[in-house]
Amino acid sequence: MAFLELDGVGKQFGSQTVVDDFSLAVERGEFISFLGPSGCGKTTTLQMIAGFLEPSRGAIRLEGRDLTKVHPAKRGLGIVFQSYALFPHMTAAENVAFGLEMRNVKRNERAKRVGAALAMVGLKGFEERYPRRMSGGQQQRVALARALVIQPSVLLLDEPLSNLDAKLREEMQIELRQIQRTIGTTTILVTHDQNEAMSLSDRIVVMSQGRIEQIGTPQQTYERPASAFVSQFLGKTNDFAANVDRTAQPARLVAGSWHAPAPVGVTDTVTISLRPERISFADSGLAAKIVTRIFQGNHWLFQCETECGPAIVIRQNDGSPQPGEGEAVRLDWRVEDMSLRASGGAA
């Protein structure tokens, strides 16, 4: 039995279906991210787990217990909102202690747990600080400590890092993952940030228009996207139209002037999906011309025009000479690095 299970969960508002047939089994201690664009249903799904919204159909079970009719306060879940929702008239310690007071935890035990929670998020010594005198990152840590101090069975995170600047957001991602690994709390994160989902998650649930597109590890969803949507949404990708030449022996998969032995069972017309870093410059392969060359520190980004349309190539900056703008090149890649899908269909 899964620790947390969503079984055929759906949500409708009037005639509009916002979440449709959402099924997921979460193991104890897993870090799961719901990833997708605005309006894909990820926050609605989180709110149904939290109990703020009631599913129109399906069941949500925690350790076999049906949560569908359980009041949010009785579910034993910790929640960190995008806005942090700190009480401005309370100190950091008082904010963290609030949930414990509601659970009638004794004063001595409260003080001990609040101190430990603030220390865990790096805020020892900030107990008497009010939110207005704290940075965004510090407020985020208080909100996280408040959610964790009640020792929740599941921690729900609704885009908690989206208000932070890029550098602090990256630092908080590292801290959040370290904290989660240390305490082992089952965690579900809602995010539209692909890098955040890949950095933090054990598994990613990619969503589009209220439905699950793919569930897999960060590497699986990135390297083997299950649909055109996942391929395009999760990082940069190149799509090349290809066909199978069955007159050749053995049959060849052909995209412009690039070709390789055709994989077994491939249809006659397919789309090749390739991540930019999997493409190399070579003596033979797909004919291309460098349109733009951009230096990005640890790597170069090349925008190319090819026989099969535009392409992006990313090459690590290893100090070797790189082709310049306007230069004719050939693009090559390994068969095992590409994903194939029937043209107009799923992978």
Side-chain angles (χ1 to χ4, degrees):
M1 180 186 299
F3 180 65
L4 173 67
E5 184 179 12
L6 286 80
D7 184 8
V9 172
K11 182 63 181 177
Q12 284 184 256
F13 294 105
S15 61
Q16 183 183 9
T17 299
V18 180
V19 177
D20 188 22
D21 194 25
F22 189 105
S23 294
L24 174 68
V26 182
E27 299 303 321
R28 186 187 296 272
E30 264 197 302
F31 196 121
I32 301 288
S33 288
F34 294 167
L35 174 67
S38 297
C40 72
K42 56 188 185 294
T43 294
T44 299
T45 304
L46 193 83
Q47 290 177 338
M48 287 190 286
I49 297 171
F52 302 140
L53 292 174
E54 184 176 338
S56 302
R57 55 191 168 276
I60 300 172
R61 292 183 284 269
L62 181 62
E63 295 187 282
R65 174 194 180 203
D66 189 352
L67 295 182
T68 308
K69 301 296 183 180
V70 178
H71 189 276
K74 301 294 185 181
R75 297 191 179 197
L77 310 179
I79 306 170
V80 179
F81 299 100
Q82 182 177 352
S83 63
Y84 312 145
L86 299 179
F87 298 112
H89 62 285
M90 292 184 180
T91 64
E94 289 169 341
N95 266 282
V96 175
F98 181 78
L100 298 178
E101 291 182 30
M102 294 300 99
R103 288 163 174 78
N104 297 315
V105 176
K106 293 181 179 180
R107 182 186 297 271
N108 289 343
E109 177 65 14
R110 267 201 327 260
K112 179 180 176 182
R113 286 168 62 174
V114 167
L118 286 171
M120 180 172 54
V121 298
L123 288 181
K124 185 177 181 180
F126 284 73
E127 290 82 358
E128 302 305 315
R129 187 82 57 96
Y130 286 91
R132 63 179 177 274
R133 295 183 54 223
M134 305 179 82
S135 68
Q138 290 167 343
Q139 291 181 44
Q140 194 273 344
R141 288 180 172 90
V142 174
L144 181 59
R146 183 177 60 185
L148 291 173
V149 76
I150 64 171
Q151 298 172 349
S153 53
V154 180
L155 176 64
L156 305 177
L157 306 173
D158 188 5
E159 304 216 42
L161 308 182
S162 61
N163 292 329
L164 306 179
D165 62 55
K167 184 175 184 296
L168 183 55
R169 185 171 185 156
E170 186 174 302
E171 292 173 357
M172 286 305 304
Q173 287 172 6
I174 295 171
E175 288 189 22
L176 179 57
R177 187 52 167 147
Q178 289 175 338
I179 291 169
Q180 194 271 339
R181 286 186 183 277
T182 299
I183 63 178
T185 301
T186 306
T187 302
I188 297 178
L189 167 73
V190 162
T191 183
H192 63 272
D193 187 305
Q194 307 137 28
N195 292 331
E196 187 167 278
M198 288 192 287
S199 299
L200 293 171
S201 311
D202 294 311
R203 286 190 296 159
I204 297 173
V205 180
V206 185
M207 298 181 65
S208 174
Q209 299 181 336
R211 298 186 66 88
I212 294 174
E213 290 278 338
Q214 185 172 356
I215 301 174
T217 66
Q219 186 173 0
Q220 287 169 344
T221 51
Y222 184 81
E223 299 284 359
R224 293 289 180 264
S227 67
F229 173 83
V230 178
S231 175
Q232 295 293 336
F233 185 77
L234 198 61
K236 298 180 178 68
T237 194
N238 297 295
D239 284 345
F240 300 135
N243 58 75
V244 176
D245 178 6
R246 300 198 186 276
T247 64
Q249 293 298 324
R252 297 190 306 177
L253 181 64
V254 180
S257 49
W258 178 93
H259 60 82
V264 175
V266 67
T267 58
D268 286 345
T269 305
V270 297
T271 298
I272 295 174
S273 285
L274 272 167
R275 297 300 183 185
E277 64 274 14
R278 298 300 187 185
I279 300 175
S280 60
F281 297 123
D283 295 331
S284 62
L286 185 65
K289 181 179 179 180
I290 305 292
V291 177
T292 307
R293 183 180 77 166
I294 303 172
F295 180 65
Q296 297 189 322
N298 66 343
H299 67 268
W300 290 88
L301 185 146
F302 300 88
Q303 293 177 314
C304 306
E305 193 59 47
T306 81
E307 303 166 277
C308 297
I312 296 174
V313 178
I314 293 176
R315 303 307 302 162
Q316 289 300 308
N317 177 26
D318 58 4
S320 60
Q322 300 293 334
E325 294 180 357
E327 190 171 334
V329 294
R330 295 277 179 170
L331 307 182
D332 196 15
W333 56 87
R334 302 186 308 171
V335 171
E336 57 265 36
D337 287 335
M338 65 185 184
S339 293
L340 299 178
R341 63 178 185 273
S343 293

Short mmCIF file of all heavy atoms in Angstrom, two decimals, residues 254-300:
data_model
loop_
_atom_site.label_atom_id
_atom_site.label_comp_id
_atom_site.label_asym_id
_atom_site.label_seq_id
_atom_site.Cartn_x
_atom_site.Cartn_y
_atom_site.Cartn_z
N VAL A 254 16.16 8.50 -41.38
CA VAL A 254 16.76 9.59 -42.13
C VAL A 254 16.12 10.92 -41.73
O VAL A 254 14.89 11.05 -41.71
CB VAL A 254 16.59 9.39 -43.65
CG1 VAL A 254 17.23 10.55 -44.42
CG2 VAL A 254 17.19 8.06 -44.09
N ALA A 255 16.96 11.90 -41.40
CA ALA A 255 16.53 13.28 -41.15
C ALA A 255 17.47 14.18 -41.95
O ALA A 255 18.62 14.37 -41.56
CB ALA A 255 16.58 13.63 -39.68
N GLY A 256 17.00 14.71 -43.07
CA GLY A 256 17.89 15.47 -43.94
C GLY A 256 19.06 14.62 -44.38
O GLY A 256 18.88 13.51 -44.89
N SER A 257 20.28 15.11 -44.17
CA SER A 257 21.47 14.34 -44.54
C SER A 257 22.01 13.49 -43.39
O SER A 257 23.06 12.86 -43.52
CB SER A 257 22.57 15.29 -45.04
OG SER A 257 22.75 16.37 -44.14
N TRP A 258 21.29 13.47 -42.26
CA TRP A 258 21.67 12.59 -41.14
C TRP A 258 20.94 11.27 -41.30
O TRP A 258 19.76 11.22 -41.67
CB TRP A 258 21.28 13.23 -39.81
CG TRP A 258 21.60 12.38 -38.60
CD1 TRP A 258 22.72 12.41 -37.85
CD2 TRP A 258 20.75 11.38 -38.00
NE1 TRP A 258 22.65 11.49 -36.83
CE2 TRP A 258 21.45 10.84 -36.90
CE3 TRP A 258 19.49 10.87 -38.31
CZ2 TRP A 258 20.93 9.84 -36.10
CZ3 TRP A 258 18.96 9.87 -37.51
CH2 TRP A 258 19.68 9.37 -36.42
N HIS A 259 21.62 10.17 -41.02
CA HIS A 259 20.95 8.87 -41.04
C HIS A 259 21.65 7.91 -40.08
O HIS A 259 22.82 8.09 -39.72
CB HIS A 259 20.92 8.28 -42.45
CG HIS A 259 22.28 8.05 -43.04
ND1 HIS A 259 23.05 6.94 -42.78
CD2 HIS A 259 23.01 8.82 -43.90
CE1 HIS A 259 24.19 7.01 -43.44
NE2 HIS A 259 24.20 8.14 -44.12
N ALA A 260 20.89 6.90 -39.66
CA ALA A 260 21.40 5.85 -38.77
C ALA A 260 20.50 4.64 -38.92
O ALA A 260 19.37 4.75 -39.44
CB ALA A 260 21.39 6.34 -37.32
N PRO A 261 20.96 3.46 -38.51
CA PRO A 261 20.09 2.28 -38.56
C PRO A 261 18.78 2.54 -37.84
O PRO A 261 18.76 3.10 -36.73
CB PRO A 261 20.92 1.21 -37.87
CG PRO A 261 22.34 1.63 -38.07
CD PRO A 261 22.32 3.13 -38.02
N ALA A 262 17.67 2.16 -38.46
CA ALA A 262 16.36 2.41 -37.88
C ALA A 262 16.10 1.48 -36.70
O ALA A 262 16.33 0.27 -36.80
CB ALA A 262 15.28 2.22 -38.94
N PRO A 263 15.65 2.02 -35.58
CA PRO A 263 15.28 1.16 -34.45
C PRO A 263 14.17 0.18 -34.83
O PRO A 263 13.34 0.48 -35.69
CB PRO A 263 14.80 2.16 -33.38
CG PRO A 263 15.42 3.46 -33.77
CD PRO A 263 15.48 3.44 -35.26
N VAL A 264 14.15 -0.94 -34.19
CA VAL A 264 13.13 -1.97 -34.46
C VAL A 264 11.75 -1.43 -34.11
O VAL A 264 11.55 -0.82 -33.06
CB VAL A 264 13.43 -3.25 -33.64
CG1 VAL A 264 12.31 -4.27 -33.83
CG2 VAL A 264 14.77 -3.83 -34.04
N GLY A 265 10.81 -1.63 -35.01
CA GLY A 265 9.42 -1.27 -34.73
C GLY A 265 9.06 0.17 -34.99
O GLY A 265 7.92 0.57 -34.75
N VAL A 266 10.01 1.00 -35.46
CA VAL A 266 9.72 2.41 -35.67
C VAL A 266 8.78 2.57 -36.87
O VAL A 266 8.85 1.84 -37.85
CB VAL A 266 11.03 3.21 -35.89
CG1 VAL A 266 11.71 2.81 -37.19
CG2 VAL A 266 10.76 4.70 -35.86
N THR A 267 7.85 3.54 -36.77
CA THR A 267 6.92 3.81 -37.86
C THR A 267 7.64 4.55 -38.99
O THR A 267 8.75 5.05 -38.81
CB THR A 267 5.74 4.65 -37.38
OG1 THR A 267 6.23 5.87 -36.81
CG2 THR A 267 4.95 3.90 -36.31
N ASP A 268 7.00 4.63 -40.15
CA ASP A 268 7.66 5.19 -41.32
C ASP A 268 7.95 6.68 -41.18
O ASP A 268 8.94 7.18 -41.72
CB ASP A 268 6.80 4.97 -42.57
CG ASP A 268 6.83 3.51 -43.03
OD1 ASP A 268 7.71 2.77 -42.56
OD2 ASP A 268 5.97 3.12 -43.83
N THR A 269 7.08 7.41 -40.48
CA THR A 269 7.26 8.85 -40.30
C THR A 269 7.25 9.17 -38.82
O THR A 269 6.29 8.86 -38.11
CB THR A 269 6.13 9.63 -41.00
OG1 THR A 269 6.07 9.24 -42.38
CG2 THR A 269 6.39 11.12 -40.92
N VAL A 270 8.32 9.78 -38.35
CA VAL A 270 8.47 10.05 -36.92
C VAL A 270 9.04 11.45 -36.70
O VAL A 270 9.51 12.11 -37.63
CB VAL A 270 9.40 9.02 -36.23
CG1 VAL A 270 8.82 7.63 -36.30
CG2 VAL A 270 10.79 9.06 -36.84
N THR A 271 9.00 11.86 -35.45
CA THR A 271 9.69 13.08 -35.01
C THR A 271 10.81 12.68 -34.06
O THR A 271 10.58 11.92 -33.11
CB THR A 271 8.72 14.04 -34.30
OG1 THR A 271 7.70 14.45 -35.23
CG2 THR A 271 9.46 15.28 -33.79
N ILE A 272 12.02 13.15 -34.35
CA ILE A 272 13.16 12.94 -33.47
C ILE A 272 13.22 14.10 -32.48
O ILE A 272 13.23 15.25 -32.89
CB ILE A 272 14.48 12.88 -34.27
CG1 ILE A 272 14.50 11.65 -35.19
CG2 ILE A 272 15.69 12.87 -33.33
CD1 ILE A 272 15.71 11.61 -36.11
N SER A 273 13.25 13.80 -31.19
CA SER A 273 13.42 14.83 -30.15
C SER A 273 14.80 14.68 -29.55
O SER A 273 15.20 13.57 -29.14
CB SER A 273 12.36 14.69 -29.06
OG SER A 273 11.12 15.17 -29.51
N LEU A 274 15.52 15.79 -29.47
CA LEU A 274 16.90 15.79 -28.99
C LEU A 274 17.15 16.98 -28.09
O LEU A 274 16.80 18.11 -28.44
CB LEU A 274 17.87 15.89 -30.18
CG LEU A 274 18.34 14.62 -30.87
CD1 LEU A 274 19.00 15.00 -32.18
CD2 LEU A 274 19.31 13.85 -29.99
N ARG A 275 17.75 16.73 -26.95
CA ARG A 275 18.17 17.82 -26.09
C ARG A 275 19.40 18.51 -26.71
O ARG A 275 20.25 17.84 -27.32
CB ARG A 275 18.51 17.31 -24.69
CG ARG A 275 17.31 16.71 -23.96
CD ARG A 275 16.20 17.70 -23.77
NE ARG A 275 15.09 17.13 -23.00
CZ ARG A 275 13.95 17.79 -22.78
NH1 ARG A 275 13.77 19.01 -23.27
NH2 ARG A 275 12.99 17.22 -22.07
N PRO A 276 19.52 19.83 -26.58
CA PRO A 276 20.60 20.58 -27.23
C PRO A 276 22.00 20.10 -26.88
O PRO A 276 22.91 20.15 -27.70
CB PRO A 276 20.37 22.01 -26.77
CG PRO A 276 18.93 22.08 -26.43
CD PRO A 276 18.59 20.72 -25.88
N GLU A 277 22.18 19.64 -25.63
CA GLU A 277 23.52 19.23 -25.19
C GLU A 277 23.90 17.86 -25.72
O GLU A 277 25.06 17.43 -25.56
CB GLU A 277 23.63 19.26 -23.67
CG GLU A 277 22.72 18.30 -22.93
CD GLU A 277 21.34 18.82 -22.67
OE1 GLU A 277 20.95 19.85 -23.28
OE2 GLU A 277 20.63 18.21 -21.85
N ARG A 278 22.95 17.15 -26.35
CA ARG A 278 23.24 15.83 -26.91
C ARG A 278 23.72 15.90 -28.36
O ARG A 278 24.06 14.88 -28.94
CB ARG A 278 21.99 14.95 -26.83
CG ARG A 278 21.49 14.69 -25.42
CD ARG A 278 22.53 13.99 -24.58
NE ARG A 278 22.00 13.60 -23.28
CZ ARG A 278 22.73 13.05 -22.32
NH1 ARG A 278 24.02 12.83 -22.52
NH2 ARG A 278 22.19 12.72 -21.17
N ILE A 279 23.72 17.10 -28.92
CA ILE A 279 24.14 17.27 -30.32
C ILE A 279 25.59 17.73 -30.36
O ILE A 279 26.01 18.58 -29.57
CB ILE A 279 23.25 18.30 -31.02
CG1 ILE A 279 21.78 17.84 -31.00
CG2 ILE A 279 23.71 18.52 -32.46
CD1 ILE A 279 20.82 18.85 -31.58
N SER A 280 26.35 17.17 -31.27
CA SER A 280 27.76 17.55 -31.43
C SER A 280 28.01 18.05 -32.84
O SER A 280 27.25 17.75 -33.77
CB SER A 280 28.68 16.37 -31.11
OG SER A 280 28.41 15.29 -31.99
N PHE A 281 29.08 18.81 -33.00
CA PHE A 281 29.55 19.20 -34.33
C PHE A 281 30.45 18.08 -34.85
O PHE A 281 31.30 17.56 -34.12
CB PHE A 281 30.33 20.51 -34.27
CG PHE A 281 29.49 21.68 -33.81
CD1 PHE A 281 29.86 22.42 -32.69
CD2 PHE A 281 28.33 22.02 -34.48
CE1 PHE A 281 29.10 23.50 -32.27
CE2 PHE A 281 27.55 23.09 -34.06
CZ PHE A 281 27.92 23.83 -32.95
N ALA A 282 30.25 17.69 -36.10
CA ALA A 282 30.95 16.52 -36.64
C ALA A 282 31.28 16.73 -38.11
O ALA A 282 30.89 17.73 -38.72
CB ALA A 282 30.10 15.27 -36.44
N ASP A 283 32.01 15.77 -38.67
CA ASP A 283 32.38 15.83 -40.09
C ASP A 283 31.22 15.46 -41.00
O ASP A 283 31.19 15.84 -42.18
CB ASP A 283 33.57 14.90 -40.37
CG ASP A 283 34.84 15.35 -39.65
OD1 ASP A 283 34.97 16.57 -39.42
OD2 ASP A 283 35.65 14.48 -39.30
N SER A 284 30.27 14.68 -40.48
CA SER A 284 29.10 14.29 -41.27
C SER A 284 27.87 14.38 -40.39
O SER A 284 27.96 14.39 -39.16
CB SER A 284 29.27 12.86 -41.79
OG SER A 284 29.36 11.94 -40.71
N GLY A 285 26.70 14.46 -41.05
CA GLY A 285 25.47 14.56 -40.29
C GLY A 285 24.54 15.57 -40.91
O GLY A 285 24.62 15.87 -42.11
N LEU A 286 23.66 16.14 -40.09
CA LEU A 286 22.65 17.09 -40.55
C LEU A 286 23.31 18.41 -40.93
O LEU A 286 24.00 19.04 -40.10
CB LEU A 286 21.61 17.30 -39.45
CG LEU A 286 20.41 18.17 -39.77
CD1 LEU A 286 19.55 17.54 -40.87
CD2 LEU A 286 19.58 18.42 -38.51
N ALA A 287 23.12 18.85 -42.16
CA ALA A 287 23.72 20.11 -42.62
C ALA A 287 23.07 21.28 -41.91
O ALA A 287 21.85 21.36 -41.77
CB ALA A 287 23.56 20.24 -44.13
N ALA A 288 23.90 22.22 -41.44
CA ALA A 288 23.40 23.36 -40.67
C ALA A 288 24.30 24.57 -40.86
O ALA A 288 25.44 24.46 -41.34
CB ALA A 288 23.30 23.00 -39.19
N LYS A 289 23.78 25.71 -40.44
CA LYS A 289 24.54 26.96 -40.46
C LYS A 289 24.35 27.65 -39.13
O LYS A 289 23.22 27.73 -38.61
CB LYS A 289 24.06 27.86 -41.60
CG LYS A 289 24.81 29.17 -41.72
CD LYS A 289 24.27 29.99 -42.89
CE LYS A 289 25.00 31.32 -43.02
NZ LYS A 289 24.47 32.13 -44.16
N ILE A 290 25.44 28.14 -38.53
CA ILE A 290 25.36 28.86 -37.26
C ILE A 290 24.75 30.24 -37.50
O ILE A 290 25.31 31.04 -38.25
CB ILE A 290 26.74 29.01 -36.60
CG1 ILE A 290 27.44 27.66 -36.43
CG2 ILE A 290 26.60 29.74 -35.26
CD1 ILE A 290 26.80 26.74 -35.45
N VAL A 291 23.62 30.51 -36.88
CA VAL A 291 22.98 31.82 -37.00
C VAL A 291 23.45 32.75 -35.88
O VAL A 291 23.80 33.91 -36.12
CB VAL A 291 21.45 31.68 -36.95
CG1 VAL A 291 20.77 33.05 -37.01
CG2 VAL A 291 20.97 30.80 -38.10
N THR A 292 23.46 32.24 -34.66
CA THR A 292 23.87 33.03 -33.49
C THR A 292 24.72 32.17 -32.57
O THR A 292 24.41 30.99 -32.37
CB THR A 292 22.64 33.54 -32.71
OG1 THR A 292 21.76 34.23 -33.59
CG2 THR A 292 23.06 34.48 -31.58
N ARG A 293 25.77 32.76 -32.02
CA ARG A 293 26.62 32.08 -31.04
C ARG A 293 26.63 32.93 -29.78
O ARG A 293 26.98 34.10 -29.82
CB ARG A 293 28.03 31.89 -31.59
CG ARG A 293 28.95 31.11 -30.66
CD ARG A 293 30.33 30.95 -31.24
NE ARG A 293 31.11 32.17 -31.13
CZ ARG A 293 32.44 32.23 -31.31
NH1 ARG A 293 33.11 31.13 -31.63
NH2 ARG A 293 33.08 33.36 -31.19
N ILE A 294 26.25 32.32 -28.66
CA ILE A 294 26.13 33.05 -27.39
C ILE A 294 27.00 32.39 -26.33
O ILE A 294 26.86 31.18 -26.08
CB ILE A 294 24.66 33.10 -26.91
CG1 ILE A 294 23.78 33.75 -27.99
CG2 ILE A 294 24.55 33.87 -25.59
CD1 ILE A 294 22.29 33.65 -27.68
N PHE A 295 27.88 33.16 -25.70
CA PHE A 295 28.71 32.65 -24.61
C PHE A 295 27.96 32.77 -23.30
O PHE A 295 27.50 33.86 -22.93
CB PHE A 295 30.02 33.43 -24.55
CG PHE A 295 30.94 32.96 -23.46
CD1 PHE A 295 31.49 31.69 -23.48
CD2 PHE A 295 31.27 33.80 -22.40
CE1 PHE A 295 32.34 31.26 -22.48
CE2 PHE A 295 32.13 33.39 -21.40
CZ PHE A 295 32.67 32.12 -21.44
N GLN A 296 27.81 31.67 -22.56
CA GLN A 296 27.07 31.67 -21.31
C GLN A 296 27.88 31.12 -20.14
O GLN A 296 27.37 30.44 -19.26
CB GLN A 296 25.76 30.88 -21.48
CG GLN A 296 24.84 31.52 -22.51
CD GLN A 296 23.46 30.90 -22.56
OE1 GLN A 296 23.30 29.69 -22.43
NE2 GLN A 296 22.44 31.73 -22.75
N GLY A 297 29.17 31.44 -20.15
CA GLY A 297 30.03 31.06 -19.03
C GLY A 297 30.57 29.65 -19.16
O GLY A 297 31.62 29.43 -19.78
N ASN A 298 29.86 28.71 -18.60
CA ASN A 298 30.35 27.32 -18.63
C ASN A 298 29.97 26.59 -19.91
O ASN A 298 30.35 25.45 -20.11
CB ASN A 298 29.86 26.54 -17.40
CG ASN A 298 28.35 26.36 -17.40
OD1 ASN A 298 27.64 27.06 -18.11
ND2 ASN A 298 27.88 25.43 -16.60
N HIS A 299 29.19 27.26 -20.79
CA HIS A 299 28.86 26.62 -22.05
C HIS A 299 28.57 27.67 -23.13
O HIS A 299 28.38 28.85 -22.85
CB HIS A 299 27.66 25.67 -21.89
CG HIS A 299 26.37 26.37 -21.56
ND1 HIS A 299 25.95 26.59 -20.27
CD2 HIS A 299 25.41 26.89 -22.36
CE1 HIS A 299 24.80 27.22 -20.29
NE2 HIS A 299 24.44 27.43 -21.54
N TRP A 300 28.56 27.19 -24.37
CA TRP A 300 28.19 27.99 -25.53
C TRP A 300 26.81 27.54 -26.00
O TRP A 300 26.50 26.35 -26.02
CB TRP A 300 29.17 27.79 -26.68
CG TRP A 300 30.53 28.38 -26.45
CD1 TRP A 300 31.59 27.78 -25.84
CD2 TRP A 300 30.97 29.69 -26.85
NE1 TRP A 300 32.69 28.62 -25.84
CE2 TRP A 300 32.33 29.80 -26.45
CE3 TRP A 300 30.37 30.75 -27.52
CZ2 TRP A 300 33.08 30.94 -26.69
CZ3 TRP A 300 31.12 31.90 -27.76
CH2 TRP A 300 32.46 31.99 -27.34
#
